[in-house]
Amino acid sequence: MSLSTQLPAAPVTPMPAEVVERQVAPKRPRKPTLLRAERPGVRIAAWAAVIVCGGFALLPVYWLLATSLTPRTEVFSFPPQLFPANPTFEAYESLFTNPALFNYLRNSIIVSVITAVLSVVVSAYMGYAFSKFRYRGRRALMYFVLASQMFPQALLLVTLYTVFAAYGLLNTYTALVLSFTTFTLPLCVWMLKGFFDTIPDELIEAARVDGASRLRIIHSIVLPLSAPGLVAAGLFAFVRGWNDFIFALTLAGPDKQTLPPGLVNTFIGEASTAWPELMAASIVTSLPVAIAFIALQRYLVGGLTAGAVKG
């Protein structure tokens, strides 16, 4: 008798169906991703487009920097030099020895900050009223506010000049702040209105059931939740007041002018133009806005896209 006939057969444990299917079923080929499916020519064309667009956007900034480091006698050299042969910081040194530029800088900070604060305060209440209140004429009033953006701002300059002259507001900060706030309010109102639409009405109703007043609801619940939208609106108003040229040149005198018209009056003359100093001043005055955008970038993106999808 053989050994195999003496030992009992071991019980066979059935394998789960999912294990058998996993072992028997052939592996499915991976679906090619977008990058793998692209041909090399498409990828090269995409990178070429990115490089061209980036160069188109950054070349003026580099030319500002290169011109600011070029001596005045070599600015108009031919052929133009991509890199300064004899770089110098004389243009930047002249900025800090010119007291008029500090006066323009102070005016720009005062006007831009007040414009941003006033625009945010007014547009917050208007945007909340458009978003959460229901009354007759609401939609018509909303489109009326938006339609004010259709008129060219320079077209209203003569009217504003006449009104401010009649009330003795020319050559004052008040004229600049009121004019800048007037043109920033429509966009700020619609930006915050879209942000307030994303706040659930149930949250406001719950606060009202707990006995909170309308002002308490706005200040303690709605505005803290709308911080990204408020930052985005304030930054837009700040940049509007910082970069304006025509209103600051017309409505303000030499003592109250901001940086854009101040730089033109300082470095651009009838006979000659101090291009290195002008380029250096342009770079220095652009730094505050660039730093503000970098520091508040996440709030700005969140505020601008909050009203795109209603949650």
Side-chain angles (χ1 to χ4, degrees):
M1 182 180 296
S2 62
L3 184 61
S4 59
T5 58
Q6 295 179 0
L7 295 176
V12 179
T13 304
M15 301 180 65
E18 55 183 2
V19 178
V20 174
E21 182 180 359
R22 190 184 308 166
Q23 293 179 353
V24 176
K27 294 183 179 181
R28 297 179 180 179
R30 290 184 178 181
K31 187 177 180 180
T33 60
L34 182 61
L35 293 178
R36 293 179 180 177
E38 289 181 352
R39 298 179 180 179
V42 176
R43 186 176 302 179
I44 294 175
W47 278 108
V50 170
I51 294 174
V52 171
C53 294
F56 181 79
L58 297 178
L59 183 60
V61 179
Y62 171 76
W63 197 254
L64 282 176
L65 180 61
T67 306
S68 66
L69 298 176
T70 303
R72 188 181 299 185
T73 56
E74 301 178 4
V75 171
F76 294 100
S77 60
F78 188 84
Q81 299 177 355
L82 189 60
F83 302 98
N86 302 310
T88 179
F89 291 94
E90 295 179 357
Y92 292 94
E93 295 175 358
S94 64
L95 297 180
F96 298 100
T97 58
N98 192 340
L101 294 180
F102 288 96
N103 184 36
Y104 298 142
L105 178 61
R106 184 186 71 247
N107 296 338
S108 291
I109 294 175
I110 293 175
V111 172
S112 300
V113 170
I114 296 178
T115 300
V117 173
L118 186 60
S119 299
V120 169
V121 171
V122 177
S123 60
Y125 289 105
M126 291 181 63
Y128 181 80
F130 286 152
S131 176
K132 300 303 180 183
F133 294 165
R134 299 296 181 266
Y135 48 89
R136 182 175 299 178
R138 165 180 166 271
R139 186 175 297 275
L141 185 58
M142 289 170 54
Y143 287 116
F144 177 77
V145 172
L146 184 62
S148 62
Q149 292 289 95
M150 300 172 58
F151 298 96
Q153 299 178 3
L155 185 64
L156 304 177
L157 182 58
V158 177
T159 303
L160 290 177
Y161 186 90
T162 305
V163 172
F164 290 147
Y167 287 95
L169 296 177
L170 291 178
N171 303 330
T172 61
Y173 293 134
T174 305
L176 297 178
V177 171
L178 291 179
S179 60
F180 295 161
T181 305
T182 301
F183 297 117
T184 56
L185 273 181
L187 183 58
C188 292
V189 168
W190 274 84
M191 186 187 304
L192 292 180
K193 189 263 179 188
F195 200 96
F196 293 148
D197 288 341
T198 61
I199 298 178
D201 295 336
E202 292 78 8
L203 185 63
I204 299 176
E205 292 296 334
R208 190 175 301 172
V209 170
D210 292 339
S213 62
R214 292 189 182 274
L215 291 178
R216 180 67 181 274
I217 293 174
I218 296 175
H219 297 158
S220 300
I221 298 176
V222 176
L223 293 184
L225 293 176
S226 307
L230 298 177
V231 172
L235 188 57
F236 169 76
F238 180 86
V239 174
R240 173 64 178 82
W242 187 271
N243 293 335
D244 182 85
F245 176 79
I246 186 171
F247 282 89
L249 179 64
T250 307
L251 302 178
D255 295 335
K256 296 297 187 292
Q257 283 182 351
T258 56
L259 278 170
L263 295 181
V264 172
N265 295 333
T266 303
F267 299 113
I268 298 180
E270 297 181 0
S272 62
T273 301
W275 289 110
E277 290 79 4
L278 181 60
M279 299 299 104
S282 300
I283 292 176
V284 172
T285 55
S286 300
L287 289 178
V289 178
I291 294 173
F293 267 103
I294 295 174
L296 305 176
Q297 182 180 6
R298 60 191 185 97
Y299 296 102
L300 180 64
V301 174
L304 291 176
T305 59
V309 180
K310 188 174 181 179

